[in-house]
Amino acid sequence: MRGERRASTLLEPGVFLVSAAMLAFEVLLLRLFAIEQFHHFAYMAIGMALLGFGASGTVLVVARPLVERRARPLLEVAAVTFTVVLAAAVPLAHAAAFDATQIVFDPGQWWSLVGVYAALALPFLCGAAVVALALIDAKVGVGRVYGANLLGSGTGSLLALVMLAWATPQRAVAAPALLAAAAAGWFLIRGPARAPWKTGVAAVLAVGAMVVTVRPPWSLQITPFKGLPQTEAMAGSERVGERWGPVGWTVAVRAPAFRHAPGLSLAYTGEMPPQTALFVDGETAGAATSWGGEVAGPEFLDWLTLAAPYAVRDPRRVLVLGSGDGLEVLNALAHGAEEITAIELNGPLVALADSLSGSAPTAYRNPRVTLELGDARTFVASTAERFDLIVLPLAGTFNATAAGVHGSGEDYLNTVEAYDDYLRALAPGGMLAITRWVRTPPRDNVKVILTAARAVRRAGADVGRSLVFLRSWAAATLLVRPAGFDASELARLSEFAETRFFDIDWPAAAAPVAGPFNAIERPVFAEATAAAATDGETLADFVRDYPFNVAPATDDRPYFGRFVRVTSLPALLRSPRGSWLPFAEWGHLALIVTLVQSAALAALLLVVPAGTAGFVALVRRRAARAPSHLAVRRPVRMAGYFGAIGFGYLFVEIAAIQRLTLVLGHPVYAAAAVLAAFLTFSGIGALVSDRLDASRTPHACAGVGAIALSAALFLDVTTLLLAVPLAFRVPAVVLVLAPLAASMGLPFPLGIRRLADSPNRLAWAWAVNGFASVVAASLAVLIAMETGTRALFVVGALLYAVAALLARGSTRQA
């Protein structure tokens, strides 16, 4: 027994390092997909990781005779292979030449996606095989080995943030190979069968990992539909700056032909100042605009819809939420605002924009401007200041917006609760200005109108007098003023619009101005403002009958960019492919594609070997004249148990990430913090599981379900943390998650201990749990989009209840 415990102890440091490398690589893949493709592919990275976990179990089942005889040598081989394939994964994925924007038009892209899955799942297959073989080899102390796995994973998610802060994206993604090499070295050098050649292999791996990290053998391959490759293709373009960090990779490009003036009036005949294009994760984030005066700004600013609020009145105090490149700050300065507060989460973007002008004046260097680096929702919730004008600037590039690639991304700045906060931060008579791109067919501006109308109604104001919607050919600005617009203000706004060929869509009670200058097939915006002003059945009918989902987003369902209705997908799929482009929302469709493909791969890698193994077991039992029903019932119950906790864990974890994105301000911060907290405390729970009898498994599952259900019931309490400084928010989040995460660390090792004497069944349990998690990663997002984050917690709790029942039945059978 002591020898077995000593062997287990030797395993734990290596398992810790392998797990840290896998989770760091997984988090870094989130950033890689955001840069090379689009942000909605983040959850695909989670699916790839878990596909590797499941596939490792299948491989171990197929290699069962060898595993039973030589688990430890196989572990060392898997650790060495893990290091090699981790370094080669991204170049192999690039060789698949996957283009997300063509997946609907080009069937060949499905095979490319399979190639990407295979290349990026391979490191996780090898790393997970190391952990599974360690569990098999440990025999006792399963909780310690699994705890090392979870604690290493939690550490790896935090190390990923450090790598992103200190290294370029390419080097950051390559850096986990260092952890993998250290793990392989530990297993080789500290293993029971030591040999000089193993030390040499460990040294080669260490040197190779360092070389790959310093000089990655690949470069970023950004989809050509993003702004960065399009701008760098212009004649005379030159990359003049670069910053990186956890929230984004920021690049500045100077190109003679580049101009950034969102929705500039077609009547403008003046000059454009010199501009340098700015990109975050390859998407256009605005431009650093050179200007030459303390008070006067570039003339073109007054010919944008952004200038509309200054035509109504002269605000003294202005708040810009997400100031980015500083265009809205410059706009406020040019129109005479005395005090301007700019909020921006992406510090490197501000620093790069500010550095490009040299000694020339910039928006951020003006004494009237106060810059706050942080999240907009957090600032609004915590400030006691009141503002005459709050600006929510144009966000994102037109290309990405038009393609709908952000349909599955959380957007907590454009929910009903967010607009409630903005309206509360207005001074008496203050105004909220929201600018977005004009899309065809219209959808997100319609949703903005309806969301703002609900917030105005919740504030007790008259919607019909509080909204004015103004648009150019490419951009639109919604003005929201709970106190209402008087006749003189509307007259000034009308004059401003007519001289610039802008259209104004009034609420039903007001007369429209001359025009339309920018005609659309159907007066959708006028209909939307009229319906919003009436409320009741008219509004409900408008939302129900509109071709897209334009119902207001909420903090529980913060998917502002989700416009496709599930009920409309069959008609969409029946239409000719060429007609999809104006109507499709690629983010939503890509998520469905990912779910279908991950489920198919999971079924292929699990069901076929399982069916074969089950048939063989059935034949053997019949030959031995043993009860054949046990050959079916016990494996099915086992698969149900580990599948339920696999789905449940991912559902609860992703629900927590989505909700705490609001609290922590950015998906990367939320993913890293939640993964670190979940995995670390789950690791502690796994360590504690060694002290519990395996018969307590049903109670552990029931306890997880009860805590998850409590989290769903008290979900809204997390918004109270918005007013707390970040230094206190992170510990508060950890404390909130600790009981849930610790309890979630119990069911898996308790279930595994029942299988410790059967490496084959243990490998199957590992595979089932991994494949369930694969499907859960995409399915969880779809459930949250359709029913909300709260429902995702509830479904996760119910799955743990099912696992408790299955574990109880298994105990009775035993």
Side-chain angles (χ1 to χ4, degrees):
M1 180 68 71
R2 288 182 179 178
E4 289 178 342
R5 289 184 182 275
R6 190 177 302 113
S8 173
T9 303
L10 289 174
L11 291 169
E12 288 154 14
V15 169
F16 178 92
L17 289 169
V18 166
S19 303
M22 284 194 291
L23 250 292
F25 188 60
E26 181 179 341
V27 173
L28 292 165
L29 280 182
L30 304 182
R31 298 294 307 120
L32 182 66
F33 278 121
I35 293 171
E36 294 194 334
Q37 298 291 338
F38 297 100
H39 286 271
H40 63 270
F41 278 94
Y43 291 104
M44 193 169 76
I46 298 175
M48 289 174 178
L50 296 170
L51 179 67
F53 271 72
S56 68
T58 300
V59 171
L60 294 179
V61 169
V62 173
R64 181 185 63 180
L66 187 60
V67 170
E68 291 177 346
R69 296 195 314 269
R70 302 180 60 81
R72 188 54 185 261
L74 285 176
L75 185 152
E76 295 174 2
V77 172
V80 172
T81 308
F82 173 56
T83 306
V84 175
V85 297
L86 191 64
V90 174
L92 289 174
H94 282 169
F98 173 61
D99 185 351
T101 60
Q102 298 300 306
I103 196 166
V104 177
F105 299 107
D106 181 8
Q109 290 299 322
W110 284 73
W111 293 109
S112 296
L113 183 57
V114 171
V116 172
Y117 257 93
L120 296 181
L122 188 58
F124 297 103
L125 186 157
C126 296
V130 170
V131 178
L133 288 165
L135 289 170
I136 292 171
D137 191 58
K139 299 186 184 301
V140 296
V142 167
R144 291 199 306 276
V145 173
Y146 188 62
N149 165 234
L150 294 174
L151 290 170
S153 299
T155 303
S157 65
L158 295 178
L159 287 175
L161 290 184
V162 175
M163 295 171 188
L164 287 169
W166 291 97
T168 64
Q170 298 97 310
R171 289 178 178 172
V173 173
L178 295 171
L179 295 171
W186 174 270
F187 287 125
L188 290 170
I189 296 173
R190 300 299 300 271
R194 302 180 184 180
W197 66 267
K198 291 186 177 181
T199 303
V201 171
V204 169
L205 290 175
V207 172
M210 285 187 284
V211 171
V212 167
T213 302
V214 174
R215 296 184 64 86
W218 56 276
S219 58
L220 293 173
Q221 293 186 4
I222 304 172
T223 172
F225 292 91
K226 283 192 171 185
L228 177 59
Q230 292 176 0
T231 303
E232 289 193 314
M234 294 180 179
S237 65
E238 177 189 8
R239 188 176 295 191
V240 294
E242 186 176 357
R243 298 282 193 280
W244 52 83
V247 299
W249 171 58
T250 308
V251 174
V253 177
R254 190 168 289 133
F258 178 84
R259 297 290 183 272
H260 181 69
L264 180 67
S265 168
L266 298 177
Y268 180 66
T269 58
E271 295 184 359
M272 289 290 297
Q275 292 181 310
T276 301
L278 297 173
F279 304 90
V280 174
D281 291 346
E283 294 192 57
T284 305
T289 303
S290 301
W291 63 300
E294 175 65 22
V295 177
E299 181 187 0
F300 81 94
L301 290 171
D302 204 45
W303 292 79
L304 304 175
T305 63
L306 312 176
Y310 303 98
V312 176
R313 60 179 302 183
D314 296 321
R316 188 178 70 85
R317 304 188 70 194
V318 176
L319 172 64
V320 181
L321 301 175
S323 56
D325 62 350
L327 184 67
E328 281 283 11
V329 176
L330 186 56
N331 190 31
L333 288 170
H335 288 94
E338 297 176 13
E339 299 177 31
I340 304 163
T341 303
I343 312 299
E344 176 54 47
L345 183 64
N346 192 339
L349 173 62
V350 173
L352 188 57
D354 195 54
S355 67
L356 292 171
S357 62
S359 59
T362 68
Y364 289 114
R365 295 181 197 172
N366 195 288
R368 288 183 281 160
V369 177
T370 301
L371 174 64
E372 297 279 351
L373 294 178
D375 173 58
R377 281 289 297 274
T378 301
F379 177 86
V380 173
S382 60
T383 186
E385 299 180 69
R386 294 296 176 262
F387 301 90
D388 301 312
L389 174 63
I390 297 179
V391 178
L392 200 60
L394 192 69
T397 175
F398 178 77
N399 288 345
T401 304
V405 297
H406 300 304
S408 58
E410 300 91 349
D411 180 0
Y412 285 102
L413 296 184
N414 287 285
T415 65
V416 174
E417 293 86 350
Y419 287 11
D420 287 342
D421 290 343
Y422 304 155
L423 296 183
R424 280 193 292 269
L426 291 175
M431 185 166 35
L432 170 65
I434 307 165
T435 299
R436 298 191 72 88
W437 296 106
V438 172
R439 302 168 65 182
T440 303
R443 42 212 192 269
D444 54 347
N445 279 300
V446 176
K447 185 174 282 194
V448 165
I449 291 170
L450 300 184
T451 305
R454 183 178 294 184
V456 168
R457 187 169 288 108
R458 284 156 61 117
D462 181 1
V463 175
R465 298 182 59 250
S466 302
L467 302 181
V468 173
F469 184 76
L470 179 144
R471 59 187 170 86
S472 71
W473 61 278
T477 298
L478 176 68
L479 303 181
V480 184
R481 193 180 187 192
F485 297 88
D486 61 34
S488 62
E489 291 168 338
L490 293 177
R492 289 197 297 273
L493 195 57
S494 298
E495 182 182 359
F496 169 84
E498 290 188 31
T499 56
R500 290 159 178 77
F501 298 167
F502 294 158
D503 294 300
I504 296 180
D505 296 282
W506 301 101
V513 298
F517 301 107
N518 306 281
I520 54 178
E521 184 176 349
R522 170 184 166 188
V524 169
F525 303 119
E527 293 174 5
T529 53
T534 59
D535 197 16
E537 291 186 8
T538 302
L539 177 57
D541 291 343
F542 177 84
V543 173
R544 184 188 64 249
D545 296 337
Y546 201 74
F548 296 97
N549 173 30
V550 292
T554 64
D555 282 349
D556 188 46
R557 297 169 67 182
Y559 301 97
F560 182 88
R562 180 222 162 199
F563 299 106
V564 169
R565 300 180 189 273
V566 173
T567 54
S568 67
L569 284 177
L572 182 67
L573 295 173
R574 286 195 301 268
S575 64
R577 285 183 186 165
S579 65
W580 286 25
L581 187 57
F583 302 100
E585 295 289 331
W586 305 122
H588 198 128
L589 293 176
L591 188 62
I592 294 174
V593 168
T594 302
L595 174 62
V596 170
Q597 194 157 40
S598 62
L601 287 171
L604 179 65
L605 293 172
L606 180 63
V607 174
V608 174
T612 304
F615 177 76
V616 171
L618 192 62
V619 170
R620 287 177 177 176
R621 283 188 174 273
R622 286 191 173 182
R625 296 185 179 180
S628 61
H629 67 278
L630 293 178
V632 177
R633 188 175 300 172
R634 287 177 179 173
V636 169
R637 189 176 292 275
M638 178 198 73
Y641 173 80
F642 284 99
I645 63 175
F647 272 103
Y649 196 102
L650 258 291
F651 281 7
V652 173
E653 184 179 64
I654 288 177
I657 291 174
Q658 291 178 341
R659 185 61 178 185
L660 293 175
T661 296
L662 169 63
V663 177
L664 298 178
H666 193 278
V668 172
Y669 291 147
V674 172
L675 285 174
F678 259 85
L679 296 170
T680 300
F681 284 100
S682 292
I684 294 172
L687 294 175
V688 173
S689 72
D690 279 342
R691 300 176 180 269
L692 300 178
D693 191 270
S695 63
R696 310 295 292 178
T697 303
H699 303 86
C701 293
V704 175
I707 298 174
L709 190 60
S710 300
L713 295 175
F714 296 100
L715 192 62
D716 294 336
V717 176
T718 57
T719 57
L720 299 176
L721 296 174
L722 286 174
V724 179
L726 182 62
F728 296 99
R729 257 181 289 147
V730 174
V733 165
V734 172
L735 290 175
V736 168
L737 294 178
L740 176 60
S743 66
M744 290 170 67
L746 298 172
F748 186 85
L750 286 174
I752 285 292
R753 271 172 46 198
R754 297 183 178 189
L755 311 176
D757 294 332
S758 174
N760 185 53
R761 291 167 62 196
L762 190 152
W764 272 123
W766 183 261
V768 169
N769 184 261
F771 285 130
S773 302
V774 172
V775 180
S778 300
L779 183 60
V781 183
L782 286 174
I783 291 175
M785 292 173 69
E786 296 298 329
T787 59
T789 305
R790 193 188 310 276
L792 198 54
F793 273 113
V794 172
V795 174
L798 292 175
L799 285 165
Y800 274 100
V802 170
L805 294 175
L806 291 171
R808 185 180 180 187
S810 177
T811 302
R812 286 178 175 176
Q813 277 190 9

